[in-house]
PDB file of all heavy atoms in Angstrom:
ATOM      1  N   VAL A   1      96.269  52.186 153.750  1.00  0.00           N
ATOM      2  CA  VAL A   1      95.774  51.602 155.003  1.00  0.00           C
ATOM      3  C   VAL A   1      94.761  52.566 155.599  1.00  0.00           C
ATOM      4  O   VAL A   1      94.868  53.787 155.423  1.00  0.00           O
ATOM      5  CB  VAL A   1      96.941  51.325 155.984  1.00  0.00           C
ATOM      6  CG1 VAL A   1      97.638  52.616 156.397  1.00  0.00           C
ATOM      7  CG2 VAL A   1      96.467  50.542 157.213  1.00  0.00           C
ATOM      8  N   ILE A   2      93.756  52.030 156.274  1.00  0.00           N
ATOM      9  CA  ILE A   2      92.715  52.853 156.869  1.00  0.00           C
ATOM     10  C   ILE A   2      92.272  52.239 158.185  1.00  0.00           C
ATOM     11  O   ILE A   2      92.229  51.008 158.331  1.00  0.00           O
ATOM     12  CB  ILE A   2      91.509  53.005 155.907  1.00  0.00           C
ATOM     13  CG1 ILE A   2      90.451  53.941 156.497  1.00  0.00           C
ATOM     14  CG2 ILE A   2      90.902  51.646 155.569  1.00  0.00           C
ATOM     15  CD1 ILE A   2      89.307  54.252 155.540  1.00  0.00           C
ATOM     16  N   GLN A   3      91.960  53.103 159.133  1.00  0.00           N
ATOM     17  CA  GLN A   3      91.354  52.652 160.381  1.00  0.00           C
ATOM     18  C   GLN A   3      89.843  52.718 160.232  1.00  0.00           C
ATOM     19  O   GLN A   3      89.300  53.742 159.814  1.00  0.00           O
ATOM     20  CB  GLN A   3      91.795  53.545 161.542  1.00  0.00           C
ATOM     21  CG  GLN A   3      91.151  53.193 162.880  1.00  0.00           C
ATOM     22  CD  GLN A   3      91.634  54.104 163.996  1.00  0.00           C
ATOM     23  OE1 GLN A   3      92.831  54.255 164.203  1.00  0.00           O
ATOM     24  NE2 GLN A   3      90.701  54.722 164.701  1.00  0.00           N
ATOM     25  N   VAL A   4      89.167  51.624 160.542  1.00  0.00           N
ATOM     26  CA  VAL A   4      87.709  51.573 160.510  1.00  0.00           C
ATOM     27  C   VAL A   4      87.246  51.157 161.898  1.00  0.00           C
ATOM     28  O   VAL A   4      87.170  49.971 162.217  1.00  0.00           O
ATOM     29  CB  VAL A   4      87.197  50.586 159.436  1.00  0.00           C
ATOM     30  CG1 VAL A   4      85.669  50.623 159.369  1.00  0.00           C
ATOM     31  CG2 VAL A   4      87.792  50.903 158.075  1.00  0.00           C
ATOM     32  N   PHE A   5      87.010  52.152 162.756  1.00  0.00           N
ATOM     33  CA  PHE A   5      86.689  51.916 164.155  1.00  0.00           C
ATOM     34  C   PHE A   5      87.789  51.073 164.792  1.00  0.00           C
ATOM     35  O   PHE A   5      88.930  51.517 164.843  1.00  0.00           O
ATOM     36  CB  PHE A   5      85.293  51.303 164.288  1.00  0.00           C
ATOM     37  CG  PHE A   5      84.194  52.242 163.849  1.00  0.00           C
ATOM     38  CD1 PHE A   5      83.657  52.169 162.578  1.00  0.00           C
ATOM     39  CD2 PHE A   5      83.725  53.224 164.703  1.00  0.00           C
ATOM     40  CE1 PHE A   5      82.670  53.048 162.156  1.00  0.00           C
ATOM     41  CE2 PHE A   5      82.740  54.115 164.289  1.00  0.00           C
ATOM     42  CZ  PHE A   5      82.211  54.021 163.021  1.00  0.00           C
ATOM     43  N   ASP A   6      87.502  49.841 165.219  1.00  0.00           N
ATOM     44  CA  ASP A   6      88.523  49.043 165.893  1.00  0.00           C
ATOM     45  C   ASP A   6      89.391  48.258 164.906  1.00  0.00           C
ATOM     46  O   ASP A   6      90.404  47.668 165.305  1.00  0.00           O
ATOM     47  CB  ASP A   6      87.870  48.061 166.870  1.00  0.00           C
ATOM     48  CG  ASP A   6      87.132  48.769 167.989  1.00  0.00           C
ATOM     49  OD1 ASP A   6      87.551  49.895 168.342  1.00  0.00           O
ATOM     50  OD2 ASP A   6      86.138  48.226 168.497  1.00  0.00           O
ATOM     51  N   LEU A   7      88.977  48.219 163.654  1.00  0.00           N
ATOM     52  CA  LEU A   7      89.705  47.439 162.648  1.00  0.00           C
ATOM     53  C   LEU A   7      90.744  48.289 161.921  1.00  0.00           C
ATOM     54  O   LEU A   7      90.634  49.516 161.845  1.00  0.00           O
ATOM     55  CB  LEU A   7      88.740  46.885 161.600  1.00  0.00           C
ATOM     56  CG  LEU A   7      87.913  45.651 161.955  1.00  0.00           C
ATOM     57  CD1 LEU A   7      86.999  45.296 160.789  1.00  0.00           C
ATOM     58  CD2 LEU A   7      88.807  44.469 162.293  1.00  0.00           C
ATOM     59  N   THR A   8      91.726  47.607 161.371  1.00  0.00           N
ATOM     60  CA  THR A   8      92.648  48.202 160.406  1.00  0.00           C
ATOM     61  C   THR A   8      92.492  47.428 159.102  1.00  0.00           C
ATOM     62  O   THR A   8      92.461  46.198 159.105  1.00  0.00           O
ATOM     63  CB  THR A   8      94.103  48.114 160.890  1.00  0.00           C
ATOM     64  OG1 THR A   8      94.237  48.840 162.112  1.00  0.00           O
ATOM     65  CG2 THR A   8      95.054  48.704 159.859  1.00  0.00           C
ATOM     66  N   ALA A   9      92.370  48.166 158.006  1.00  0.00           N
ATOM     67  CA  ALA A   9      92.230  47.530 156.690  1.00  0.00           C
ATOM     68  C   ALA A   9      93.299  48.104 155.769  1.00  0.00           C
ATOM     69  O   ALA A   9      93.527  49.313 155.738  1.00  0.00           O
ATOM     70  CB  ALA A   9      90.839  47.786 156.112  1.00  0.00           C
ATOM     71  N   ALA A  10      93.959  47.225 155.030  1.00  0.00           N
ATOM     72  CA  ALA A  10      95.073  47.665 154.180  1.00  0.00           C
ATOM     73  C   ALA A  10      95.061  46.894 152.873  1.00  0.00           C
ATOM     74  O   ALA A  10      94.571  45.760 152.800  1.00  0.00           O
ATOM     75  CB  ALA A  10      96.405  47.465 154.905  1.00  0.00           C
ATOM     76  N   VAL A  11      95.635  47.522 151.837  1.00  0.00           N
ATOM     77  CA  VAL A  11      95.607  46.926 150.509  1.00  0.00           C
ATOM     78  C   VAL A  11      96.851  47.353 149.750  1.00  0.00           C
ATOM     79  O   VAL A  11      97.405  48.429 149.990  1.00  0.00           O
ATOM     80  CB  VAL A  11      94.320  47.359 149.753  1.00  0.00           C
ATOM     81  CG1 VAL A  11      94.299  48.856 149.549  1.00  0.00           C
ATOM     82  CG2 VAL A  11      94.170  46.642 148.416  1.00  0.00           C
ATOM     83  N   THR A  12      97.303  46.494 148.846  1.00  0.00           N
ATOM     84  CA  THR A  12      98.372  46.857 147.920  1.00  0.00           C
ATOM     85  C   THR A  12      98.171  46.100 146.619  1.00  0.00           C
ATOM     86  O   THR A  12      97.571  45.013 146.604  1.00  0.00           O
ATOM     87  CB  THR A  12      99.764  46.554 148.517  1.00  0.00           C
ATOM     88  OG1 THR A  12     100.774  47.103 147.658  1.00  0.00           O
ATOM     89  CG2 THR A  12     100.003  45.056 148.666  1.00  0.00           C
ATOM     90  N   GLY A  13      98.653  46.664 145.522  1.00  0.00           N
ATOM     91  CA  GLY A  13      98.507  45.998 144.225  1.00  0.00           C
ATOM     92  C   GLY A  13      97.071  46.003 143.744  1.00  0.00           C
ATOM     93  O   GLY A  13      96.297  46.919 144.035  1.00  0.00           O
ATOM     94  N   ILE A  14      96.683  44.972 142.999  1.00  0.00           N
ATOM     95  CA  ILE A  14      95.313  44.883 142.488  1.00  0.00           C
ATOM     96  C   ILE A  14      94.554  43.792 143.228  1.00  0.00           C
ATOM     97  O   ILE A  14      95.140  42.872 143.800  1.00  0.00           O
ATOM     98  CB  ILE A  14      95.287  44.612 140.972  1.00  0.00           C
ATOM     99  CG1 ILE A  14      95.919  43.251 140.637  1.00  0.00           C
ATOM    100  CG2 ILE A  14      95.978  45.730 140.208  1.00  0.00           C
ATOM    101  CD1 ILE A  14      95.712  42.835 139.178  1.00  0.00           C
ATOM    102  N   ASN A  15      93.231  43.908 143.227  1.00  0.00           N
ATOM    103  CA  ASN A  15      92.410  42.876 143.841  1.00  0.00           C
ATOM    104  C   ASN A  15      91.966  41.852 142.800  1.00  0.00           C
ATOM    105  O   ASN A  15      92.264  41.978 141.605  1.00  0.00           O
ATOM    106  CB  ASN A  15      91.218  43.498 144.572  1.00  0.00           C
ATOM    107  CG  ASN A  15      90.325  44.331 143.661  1.00  0.00           C
ATOM    108  OD1 ASN A  15      90.259  44.119 142.455  1.00  0.00           O
ATOM    109  ND2 ASN A  15      89.622  45.289 144.237  1.00  0.00           N
ATOM    110  N   GLU A  16      91.250  40.861 143.254  1.00  0.00           N
ATOM    111  CA  GLU A  16      90.811  39.786 142.358  1.00  0.00           C
ATOM    112  C   GLU A  16      89.835  40.310 141.311  1.00  0.00           C
ATOM    113  O   GLU A  16      89.869  39.899 140.141  1.00  0.00           O
ATOM    114  CB  GLU A  16      90.157  38.674 143.179  1.00  0.00           C
ATOM    115  CG  GLU A  16      89.763  37.451 142.375  1.00  0.00           C
ATOM    116  CD  GLU A  16      89.107  36.379 143.228  1.00  0.00           C
ATOM    117  OE1 GLU A  16      88.723  36.670 144.386  1.00  0.00           O
ATOM    118  OE2 GLU A  16      88.957  35.243 142.727  1.00  0.00           O
ATOM    119  N   THR A  17      88.971  41.234 141.716  1.00  0.00           N
ATOM    120  CA  THR A  17      87.997  41.812 140.791  1.00  0.00           C
ATOM    121  C   THR A  17      88.687  42.498 139.628  1.00  0.00           C
ATOM    122  O   THR A  17      88.298  42.330 138.463  1.00  0.00           O
ATOM    123  CB  THR A  17      87.106  42.817 141.541  1.00  0.00           C
ATOM    124  OG1 THR A  17      86.515  42.182 142.682  1.00  0.00           O
ATOM    125  CG2 THR A  17      86.016  43.360 140.636  1.00  0.00           C
ATOM    126  N   THR A  18      89.731  43.276 139.914  1.00  0.00           N
ATOM    127  CA  THR A  18      90.474  43.970 138.870  1.00  0.00           C
ATOM    128  C   THR A  18      91.197  42.977 137.966  1.00  0.00           C
ATOM    129  O   THR A  18      91.234  43.141 136.739  1.00  0.00           O
ATOM    130  CB  THR A  18      91.476  44.953 139.491  1.00  0.00           C
ATOM    131  OG1 THR A  18      90.764  45.907 140.280  1.00  0.00           O
ATOM    132  CG2 THR A  18      92.289  45.667 138.428  1.00  0.00           C
ATOM    133  N   ALA A  19      91.785  41.946 138.566  1.00  0.00           N
ATOM    134  CA  ALA A  19      92.473  40.926 137.772  1.00  0.00           C
ATOM    135  C   ALA A  19      91.515  40.280 136.776  1.00  0.00           C
ATOM    136  O   ALA A  19      91.857  40.085 135.598  1.00  0.00           O
ATOM    137  CB  ALA A  19      93.087  39.873 138.690  1.00  0.00           C
ATOM    138  N   GLN A  20      90.314  39.971 137.221  1.00  0.00           N
ATOM    139  CA  GLN A  20      89.327  39.371 136.324  1.00  0.00           C
ATOM    140  C   GLN A  20      88.940  40.332 135.211  1.00  0.00           C
ATOM    141  O   GLN A  20      88.813  39.934 134.043  1.00  0.00           O
ATOM    142  CB  GLN A  20      88.093  38.956 137.127  1.00  0.00           C
ATOM    143  CG  GLN A  20      88.347  37.784 138.069  1.00  0.00           C
ATOM    144  CD  GLN A  20      87.168  37.523 139.002  1.00  0.00           C
ATOM    145  OE1 GLN A  20      86.252  38.339 139.118  1.00  0.00           O
ATOM    146  NE2 GLN A  20      87.194  36.387 139.687  1.00  0.00           N
ATOM    147  N   ARG A  21      88.768  41.612 135.559  1.00  0.00           N
ATOM    148  CA  ARG A  21      88.406  42.614 134.551  1.00  0.00           C
ATOM    149  C   ARG A  21      89.473  42.735 133.480  1.00  0.00           C
ATOM    150  O   ARG A  21      89.169  42.955 132.294  1.00  0.00           O
ATOM    151  CB  ARG A  21      88.169  43.967 135.234  1.00  0.00           C
ATOM    152  CG  ARG A  21      87.896  45.117 134.271  1.00  0.00           C
ATOM    153  CD  ARG A  21      87.636  46.419 134.999  1.00  0.00           C
ATOM    154  NE  ARG A  21      88.770  46.869 135.776  1.00  0.00           N
ATOM    155  CZ  ARG A  21      89.806  47.532 135.280  1.00  0.00           C
ATOM    156  NH1 ARG A  21      89.876  47.790 133.982  1.00  0.00           N
ATOM    157  NH2 ARG A  21      90.786  47.932 136.067  1.00  0.00           N
ATOM    158  N   LEU A  22      90.730  42.591 133.886  1.00  0.00           N
ATOM    159  CA  LEU A  22      91.838  42.738 132.948  1.00  0.00           C
ATOM    160  C   LEU A  22      92.178  41.438 132.229  1.00  0.00           C
ATOM    161  O   LEU A  22      93.101  41.403 131.414  1.00  0.00           O
ATOM    162  CB  LEU A  22      93.077  43.251 133.693  1.00  0.00           C
ATOM    163  CG  LEU A  22      92.957  44.652 134.304  1.00  0.00           C
ATOM    164  CD1 LEU A  22      94.194  44.984 135.113  1.00  0.00           C
ATOM    165  CD2 LEU A  22      92.731  45.698 133.223  1.00  0.00           C
ATOM    166  N   GLY A  23      91.446  40.368 132.541  1.00  0.00           N
ATOM    167  CA  GLY A  23      91.701  39.100 131.887  1.00  0.00           C
ATOM    168  C   GLY A  23      92.923  38.366 132.406  1.00  0.00           C
ATOM    169  O   GLY A  23      93.446  37.472 131.739  1.00  0.00           O
ATOM    170  N   ILE A  24      93.378  38.713 133.594  1.00  0.00           N
ATOM    171  CA  ILE A  24      94.523  38.030 134.204  1.00  0.00           C
ATOM    172  C   ILE A  24      94.028  36.763 134.886  1.00  0.00           C
ATOM    173  O   ILE A  24      93.069  36.793 135.665  1.00  0.00           O
ATOM    174  CB  ILE A  24      95.227  38.940 135.233  1.00  0.00           C
ATOM    175  CG1 ILE A  24      95.759  40.201 134.553  1.00  0.00           C
ATOM    176  CG2 ILE A  24      96.360  38.195 135.930  1.00  0.00           C
ATOM    177  CD1 ILE A  24      96.312  41.232 135.525  1.00  0.00           C
ATOM    178  N   GLN A  25      94.653  35.645 134.606  1.00  0.00           N
ATOM    179  CA  GLN A  25      94.281  34.381 135.228  1.00  0.00           C
ATOM    180  C   GLN A  25      94.830  34.367 136.656  1.00  0.00           C
ATOM    181  O   GLN A  25      96.001  34.062 136.878  1.00  0.00           O
ATOM    182  CB  GLN A  25      94.832  33.208 134.419  1.00  0.00           C
ATOM    183  CG  GLN A  25      94.232  33.090 133.033  1.00  0.00           C
ATOM    184  CD  GLN A  25      92.730  32.836 133.084  1.00  0.00           C
ATOM    185  OE1 GLN A  25      92.260  31.916 133.761  1.00  0.00           O
ATOM    186  NE2 GLN A  25      91.975  33.662 132.379  1.00  0.00           N
ATOM    187  N   ALA A  26      93.982  34.715 137.601  1.00  0.00           N
ATOM    188  CA  ALA A  26      94.430  34.888 138.978  1.00  0.00           C
ATOM    189  C   ALA A  26      93.799  33.855 139.895  1.00  0.00           C
ATOM    190  O   ALA A  26      92.710  33.334 139.639  1.00  0.00           O
ATOM    191  CB  ALA A  26      94.091  36.291 139.473  1.00  0.00           C
ATOM    192  N   ASP A  27      94.499  33.582 140.977  1.00  0.00           N
ATOM    193  CA  ASP A  27      93.976  32.750 142.057  1.00  0.00           C
ATOM    194  C   ASP A  27      94.246  33.500 143.352  1.00  0.00           C
ATOM    195  O   ASP A  27      94.978  34.509 143.374  1.00  0.00           O
ATOM    196  CB  ASP A  27      94.646  31.378 142.064  1.00  0.00           C
ATOM    197  CG  ASP A  27      93.794  30.326 142.774  1.00  0.00           C
ATOM    198  OD1 ASP A  27      92.799  30.693 143.435  1.00  0.00           O
ATOM    199  OD2 ASP A  27      94.133  29.133 142.673  1.00  0.00           O
ATOM    200  N   THR A  28      93.658  33.037 144.435  1.00  0.00           N
ATOM    201  CA  THR A  28      93.841  33.704 145.720  1.00  0.00           C
ATOM    202  C   THR A  28      94.028  32.681 146.825  1.00  0.00           C
ATOM    203  O   THR A  28      93.602  31.522 146.710  1.00  0.00           O
ATOM    204  CB  THR A  28      92.619  34.568 146.083  1.00  0.00           C
ATOM    205  OG1 THR A  28      91.480  33.730 146.298  1.00  0.00           O
ATOM    206  CG2 THR A  28      92.312  35.575 144.988  1.00  0.00           C
ATOM    207  N   VAL A  29      94.676  33.109 147.889  1.00  0.00           N
ATOM    208  CA  VAL A  29      94.639  32.365 149.143  1.00  0.00           C
ATOM    209  C   VAL A  29      94.055  33.295 150.197  1.00  0.00           C
ATOM    210  O   VAL A  29      94.352  34.491 150.226  1.00  0.00           O
ATOM    211  CB  VAL A  29      96.031  31.855 149.584  1.00  0.00           C
ATOM    212  CG1 VAL A  29      96.525  30.783 148.647  1.00  0.00           C
ATOM    213  CG2 VAL A  29      97.052  32.976 149.695  1.00  0.00           C
ATOM    214  N   VAL A  30      93.199  32.739 151.038  1.00  0.00           N
ATOM    215  CA  VAL A  30      92.605  33.474 152.154  1.00  0.00           C
ATOM    216  C   VAL A  30      92.976  32.738 153.438  1.00  0.00           C
ATOM    217  O   VAL A  30      92.751  31.532 153.554  1.00  0.00           O
ATOM    218  CB  VAL A  30      91.072  33.579 152.014  1.00  0.00           C
ATOM    219  CG1 VAL A  30      90.478  34.294 153.218  1.00  0.00           C
ATOM    220  CG2 VAL A  30      90.694  34.298 150.720  1.00  0.00           C
ATOM    221  N   LEU A  31      93.572  33.463 154.364  1.00  0.00           N
ATOM    222  CA  LEU A  31      93.983  32.844 155.622  1.00  0.00           C
ATOM    223  C   LEU A  31      93.647  33.767 156.782  1.00  0.00           C
ATOM    224  O   LEU A  31      93.481  34.975 156.598  1.00  0.00           O
ATOM    225  CB  LEU A  31      95.475  32.503 155.613  1.00  0.00           C
ATOM    226  CG  LEU A  31      96.496  33.624 155.380  1.00  0.00           C
ATOM    227  CD1 LEU A  31      97.859  33.205 155.942  1.00  0.00           C
ATOM    228  CD2 LEU A  31      96.653  33.930 153.885  1.00  0.00           C
ATOM    229  N   SER A  32      93.531  33.187 157.951  1.00  0.00           N
ATOM    230  CA  SER A  32      93.150  33.941 159.154  1.00  0.00           C
ATOM    231  C   SER A  32      94.143  33.664 160.276  1.00  0.00           C
ATOM    232  O   SER A  32      93.827  32.978 161.254  1.00  0.00           O
ATOM    233  CB  SER A  32      91.738  33.567 159.591  1.00  0.00           C
ATOM    234  OG  SER A  32      90.796  33.877 158.584  1.00  0.00           O
TER     235      SER A  32
END
């Protein structure tokens, strides 16, 4: 997790880009 001025950004596991590189058939959901 990182603070970027007023925002907080956090990540866990792999992202979609990495999944594609590894040949994993991945999908995503994006919600707000």
Side-chain angles (χ1 to χ4, degrees):
V1 63
I2 183 174
Q3 177 180 307
V4 184
F5 294 97
D6 296 331
L7 282 178
T8 299
V11 63
T12 188
I14 63 171
N15 59 26
E16 185 180 13
T17 306
T18 300
Q20 291 172 347
R21 175 179 63 82
L22 296 175
I24 299 173
Q25 295 298 308
D27 202 349
T28 66
V29 292
V30 178
L31 58 158
S32 299

